[in-house]
Amino acid sequence: MFPNRNLTMANFVLVRILHTMCNDESISRSLRLLGPEGVARLKAAKVAVIGLGGVGSACAESLVRGGVGSFLFVDKDVVEASNINRQQIAFRSTIGQRKVDVMAAMAKDINPDACIERLHAFVLEESIQEQIEPFLPLDFIVDAVDTLTAKAAIAAFASQRGIPSVSAMGMANRSDPTALRFADLFSTEGCPFCREMRKICRSRGIANMSVLYSTERPAKVKPQPGAARSEKTELGTYSYMPPVAGLMLAGWVIQKLTQSGSR
């Protein structure tokens, strides 16, 4: 039945999978760096990307292209014209469409074999367990949401479930991508967003939180006269900053999932 009588069924299946991967040109460049075992780990992994804005959509796209096999995409928003300057899913043709749907379609176009689950909702502190539990198990959670309390809820949920996670801090009003750093939240310096995040985490007993943050002081932008506070017109974004952060997050996740950045 098997080419070699000493080859077990499990090993035979693994060999077949590795043979298929080695003949898949779409992952040939990743294969050279990660080797068959690293590529297999990514294919078997499931990653949740919560928040599909400029950071999250770039991260999700890079993870799909990197070979992660399964995803949970979470976002309640639809694509708006103001998203076009920085979000991977924002085109004139996608305005008005749900972000989770556009991201899922993009992922399937890149890798038709990817398993995609969608949650069209905002992550809420009081209901995160009911929201995310149905999609477990997860191998990694990427937090790319804007709300501080939601970030704390995601970090707490991941910690309680033993799921590795990483969170993007504020990218608005920054212009220098070389100032981006990975650190534990409680070791960050010079970031007002991180300072507020630390207060919330202390109040909730969150002791550790891996984050990507900027050491650059945010530029001061005056709100537009007459604008509602919810519009946040004092926040501006360069086209490249959120995507760079998203790509860095994807690199962080891929290295953690494969346990090494190289063979």
Side-chain angles (χ1 to χ4, degrees):
M1 180 177 178
F2 302 119
N4 184 326
R5 73 177 65 184
N6 295 321
L7 199 61
T8 67
M9 171 68 88
N11 287 336
F12 179 72
V13 172
L14 178 59
V15 168
R16 295 290 295 176
I17 292 174
L18 295 179
H19 176 76
T20 300
M21 290 193 303
C22 290
N23 288 278
D24 184 354
E25 282 298 313
S26 70
I27 60 171
S28 61
R29 300 302 176 95
S30 299
L31 191 61
R32 296 174 189 176
L33 286 172
L34 297 172
E37 290 186 3
V39 172
R41 288 193 194 102
L42 292 178
K43 185 179 178 63
K46 182 178 180 180
V47 177
V49 180
I50 305 178
L52 296 172
V55 175
S57 63
C59 178
E61 181 189 9
S62 186
L63 289 173
V64 176
R65 293 187 186 279
V68 172
S70 300
F71 292 91
L72 168 62
F73 295 144
V74 183
D75 202 301
K76 181 64 183 294
D77 284 334
V78 298
V79 178
E80 299 178 355
S82 61
N83 302 149
I84 289 175
N85 83 316
R86 66 196 183 283
Q87 298 187 12
Q88 308 302 100
I89 53 177
F91 302 88
R92 297 291 176 183
S93 60
T94 60
I95 291 175
Q97 297 182 37
R98 302 194 318 180
K99 289 185 178 182
V100 289
D101 296 337
V102 180
M103 193 74 250
M106 179 183 288
K108 280 292 190 179
D109 198 17
I110 296 168
N111 178 14
D113 295 327
C115 178
I116 311 295
E117 294 178 299
R118 289 167 278 185
L119 176 59
H120 181 60
F122 291 128
V123 169
L124 301 175
E125 187 173 13
E126 63 273 13
S127 58
I128 185 171
Q129 294 189 24
E130 291 77 9
Q131 289 177 306
I132 306 300
E133 285 281 359
F135 300 98
L136 297 181
L138 293 168
D139 295 291
F140 220 102
I141 296 176
V142 177
D143 156 32
V145 302
D146 297 326
T147 309
L148 291 168
T149 53
K151 288 183 175 297
I154 293 167
F157 177 86
S159 178
Q160 291 164 6
R161 301 302 187 283
I163 304 169
S165 67
V166 64
S167 177
M169 298 290 103
M171 299 298 149
N173 296 355
R174 268 97 168 183
S175 60
D176 184 5
T178 66
L180 293 171
R181 302 282 188 274
F182 285 103
D184 183 84
L185 175 66
F186 295 93
S187 299
T188 59
E189 297 179 352
C191 175
F193 195 96
C194 289
R195 183 169 59 249
E196 294 303 313
M197 192 73 240
R198 285 195 293 271
K199 293 178 184 177
I200 294 175
C201 286
R202 288 192 184 101
S203 70
R204 288 159 175 73
I206 299 171
N208 304 100
M209 186 175 176
S210 295
V211 302
L212 176 65
Y213 80 109
S214 176
T215 59
E216 178 188 7
R217 294 286 183 177
K220 293 183 179 180
V221 178
K222 292 183 179 180
Q224 294 179 3
R229 184 175 178 82
S230 60
E231 293 181 23
K232 297 182 179 180
T233 57
E234 76 280 8
L235 299 181
T237 313
Y238 286 96
S239 63
Y240 54 87
M241 280 298 292
V244 168
L247 293 176
M248 290 179 68
L249 289 168
W252 174 273
V253 173
I254 286 173
Q255 291 187 71
K256 295 296 183 182
L257 289 174
T258 58
Q259 299 179 345
S260 173
S262 60
R263 238 187 319 192

